Amino acid sequence: MKADAMDIKIYAPFQVYFNGTADSLSANNDTGPFDVLPHHKNFMSLLKPGPITVRQKGKPDFSMKIDRGIVHVRNNKVSVFLDV
């Protein structure tokens, strides 16, 4: 993993939507839109309906609409559990 990147996994019980190294993740929670960047503090939040976007240098953005989920950030690893 690059020094200025983080591991991100977005998945549901029966499907993995994204699993790789990225530079940022954007989503929405009760307070509005937010971004997770490398070395983000430990964080957990319920996600609201809307887009979730993963950005990687030199690659197209990965984006999908979600209904709801949970994001967990710890030790430069981001897990997004979707309820689909």
Side-chain angles (χ1 to χ4, degrees):
M1 179 173 55
K2 299 182 303 183
D4 290 332
M6 57 193 169
D7 290 327
I8 298 177
K9 185 174 184 181
I10 301 172
Y11 59 104
F14 301 105
Q15 185 170 354
V16 174
Y17 296 96
F18 182 91
N19 189 14
T21 303
D23 302 306
S24 72
L25 177 132
S26 301
N28 296 294
N29 64 12
D30 279 340
T31 61
F34 68 91
D35 295 314
V36 177
L37 301 173
H39 310 293
H40 195 284
K41 295 276 188 187
N42 292 347
F43 174 74
M44 182 177 263
S45 180
L46 294 173
L47 298 176
K48 300 297 266 185
I52 187 167
T53 304
V54 176
R55 292 180 183 81
Q56 300 173 285
K57 284 186 181 140
K59 294 184 180 179
D61 291 351
F62 169 84
S63 189
M64 65 183 288
K65 282 193 140 193
I66 65 166
D67 289 326
R68 60 184 176 221
I70 299 171
V71 62
H72 180 252
V73 180
R74 184 171 180 183
N75 297 331
N76 224 29
K77 294 182 194 265
V78 181
S79 298
V80 179
F81 310 99
L82 300 179
D83 180 19
V84 290

